[in-house]
Amino acid sequence: MALVVAEMTMSLDGYIADPSDGVDELFGWYSNGPVEIPTHDPSITFRVSEASAAHLRETLDGVGAILTGRRLYDITNGWNGTHPLGGAIFLVTHRAPDDPPAGVTVVTGGIEKAVAAASAAAGDGILGVGGAATAQACLDAGLLDEVRVNLVPVLLGKGIPFFSGPSTAPVRLDTPYRVIEGTGVTHLYFRAR
C-alpha cells in the first residue's frame, strides 16, 4: 500500500511560492552544494549538501507515482510527462486538458478516486502529492499519511500557502519523527494522525 506524502519547499511563514508562483527564494537549496543528484528528468540535476542528498536519494528511490492538481499541472506543463522525482503522473481535475503528454493519467472523478488510482500505480512506494490545493484536498479527505516540509529560512510575506485553512482544522501532526539539517534548508517529516 502506498504511503501518501505531501512534500513542499516552504518559507518560514508558510508559503510554497510567491504571489506570481515564483520559487526563486525557496529553491536555492537545490543548487547550493557539492553533491550531484540526477533526477528522472535528464535535463535536471540537483547540486545539494550531503544531508539534503540523502533526503533526495530516498525520495527518488521511493516515489512510485505523483498526484497533482490542474494549477500545478498547467504551471509545469505536466512536466512533459516526466516528473523529476519519477513515477507515473496522475492529474486530478474537473476539466481535462486537451492533449496531456504521454505519461500523464487524467482522473476526473474526485480526490478519492484519484488517490486510489495513483496509489495502485505507486504500489508499496510513495505517492507524492503535488500542489497546495491537492495536498489540502487529501488532508481534508483523511487520505494523507505524511507531510514533509523542506523549510527554508526566508520570510516571503505573501504568496501561495502550503495549507490555507483545512476544513478539518485544527489538524494535529505528530512531532517530527525525522529532521535533516541541510545547507539553507531543514527537512522535516511529520506523520498525520
Side-chain angles (χ1 to χ4, degrees):
M1 188 166 145
L3 183 69
V4 182
V5 177
E7 178 174 345
M8 302 279 184
T9 297
M10 185 180 80
S11 67
L12 198 55
D13 53 350
Y15 298 107
I16 60 169
D18 67 25
S20 302
D21 293 313
V23 292
D24 290 346
E25 292 290 335
L26 299 171
F27 280 14
W29 71 273
Y30 284 113
S31 60
N32 70 358
V35 182
E36 289 192 359
I37 303 293
T39 71
H40 293 273
D41 178 338
S43 70
I44 298 174
T45 297
F46 300 132
R47 288 170 182 77
V48 297
S49 67
E50 185 56 52
S52 290
H55 164 75
L56 286 170
R57 283 185 196 108
E58 287 180 28
T59 302
L60 285 161
D61 290 344
V63 169
I66 298 289
L67 176 64
T68 188
R70 184 61 190 261
R71 186 166 188 270
L72 184 56
Y73 170 88
D74 286 344
I75 291 169
T76 63
N77 192 35
W79 300 277
N80 295 314
T82 303
H83 193 282
L85 297 180
I89 300 171
F90 287 78
L91 167 62
V92 59
T93 184
H94 297 293
R95 53 184 178 85
D98 292 333
D99 192 19
V104 174
T105 301
V106 178
V107 182
T108 58
I111 196 68
E112 291 86 359
K113 183 177 177 184
V115 169
S119 290
D124 290 332
I126 294 171
L127 167 54
V129 177
T134 306
Q136 184 154 331
C138 287
L139 181 70
D140 289 346
L143 300 171
L144 205 56
D145 297 315
E146 285 190 14
V147 174
R148 296 181 184 176
V149 176
N150 304 311
L151 189 63
V152 176
V154 65
L155 300 170
L156 293 181
K158 58 186 172 181
I160 311 298
F162 193 166
F163 293 101
S164 63
S167 68
T168 56
V171 175
R172 300 197 194 298
L173 305 174
D174 288 337
T175 301
Y177 73 89
R178 188 171 185 195
V179 177
I180 300 171
E181 188 174 334
T183 300
V185 63
T186 302
H187 309 283
L188 302 166
Y189 295 58
F190 300 91
R191 286 190 180 95
R193 291 186 177 176

